[in-house]
Amino acid sequence: MTSTEPRKSPNQARARATVTAILDATARILAEDGFEAVNTNRVAEVAGVSVGSLYQYFPNKGALVGAVAVRHTEATAAVIAAGVHAAADGDLPGLVKALIRSTIQAHAANPKLRRAIIEELPRIGRPARIAELKRGIHQSVVALLTARRSRIKVKDIPMAAFVIINTVEHLTHAAELASYSARDLAQLERELNDFILAYLVGREN
């Protein structure tokens, strides 16, 4: 399996700008033309850097795509974290609504890129940083649900968080694949709200 880990991280501003240009170019090619169109020569050309500069940081296309996947996941996690944080002091329905809405908003940012990443990561391998980010989201949702434990009938809070996060994520992705309109997404958001609240507060264990 191709390595998805970069050679090194940029430390200086100029180096960070170079890596950003490389990742922007990789993301553009991946989203528009697919994984097979990504190669180090084309990425370097689109980024406006030398192939030698690219190889200082990324040994192959797997590392390029892996770095794009990490960056995209970090951006998604940040949007979800901000949405959930804004509802941290509210009630359970407000928390559920914030989690669903922020997830849908995060996934709407670049659906073509997200789709390409999901399709290719099983083939090239999943960077460790992505697993770390997903654990962070899970831990945050567990903490927020635990703070509202008196209203929740599901006994296993970590499992409940896992179910909620993955239900919202996978259904949102399915809506992307189906090219849902804004109206359809609004309806999906309402259905998810009703479904998850019923799961949390309406089930006897």
Side-chain angles (χ1 to χ4, degrees):
M1 184 175 285
T2 303
S3 171
T4 56
E5 301 300 329
R7 291 188 193 277
K8 62 179 181 179
S9 298
N11 294 317
Q12 298 182 348
R14 184 175 179 181
R16 289 194 292 271
T18 296
V19 169
T20 296
I22 291 169
L23 295 182
D24 287 347
T26 304
R28 192 177 314 128
I29 296 167
L30 183 62
E32 294 176 0
D33 301 320
F35 180 77
E36 297 304 329
V38 177
N39 62 69
T40 52
N41 287 328
R42 185 178 177 191
V43 169
E45 180 182 357
V46 172
V49 304
S50 69
V51 175
S53 294
L54 184 152
Y55 277 127
Q56 287 184 47
Y57 300 99
F58 304 101
N60 49 53
K61 68 186 288 182
L64 286 167
V65 174
V68 167
V70 167
R71 189 175 70 166
H72 182 73
T73 306
E74 286 175 339
T76 298
V79 172
I80 295 172
V84 172
H85 177 73
D89 295 329
D91 58 10
L92 181 62
L95 171 62
V96 169
K97 183 176 182 179
L99 176 60
I100 294 168
R101 179 161 294 178
S102 60
T103 301
I104 291 175
Q105 289 174 343
H107 289 182
N110 195 336
K112 287 184 178 179
L113 178 61
R114 176 177 168 75
R115 189 177 309 166
I117 289 170
I118 289 174
E119 290 172 353
E120 296 306 330
L121 281 187
R123 177 162 64 164
I124 66 172
R126 187 177 300 272
R129 174 66 176 149
I130 291 180
E132 178 186 342
L133 289 163
K134 289 184 177 294
R135 282 194 300 271
I137 293 172
H138 181 260
Q139 289 167 359
S140 296
V141 174
V142 167
L144 290 166
L145 291 178
T146 299
R148 295 157 176 81
R149 189 71 183 87
S150 61
R151 286 212 55 200
I152 296 172
K153 292 186 178 180
V154 180
K155 292 181 179 179
D156 191 333
I157 295 295
M159 179 57 71
F162 176 85
V163 169
I164 292 167
I165 292 166
N166 284 281
T167 297
V168 175
E169 182 167 338
H170 288 295
L171 286 178
T172 301
H173 179 57
E176 292 170 2
L177 293 176
S179 300
Y180 269 26
S181 66
R183 182 177 178 180
D184 292 331
L185 286 174
Q187 182 178 352
L188 175 63
E189 182 179 337
R190 291 192 296 270
E191 296 291 341
L192 281 169
N193 268 290
D194 291 345
F195 176 78
I196 290 172
L197 281 174
Y199 164 67
L200 288 173
V201 305
R203 192 175 80 174
E204 297 290 345
N205 284 3

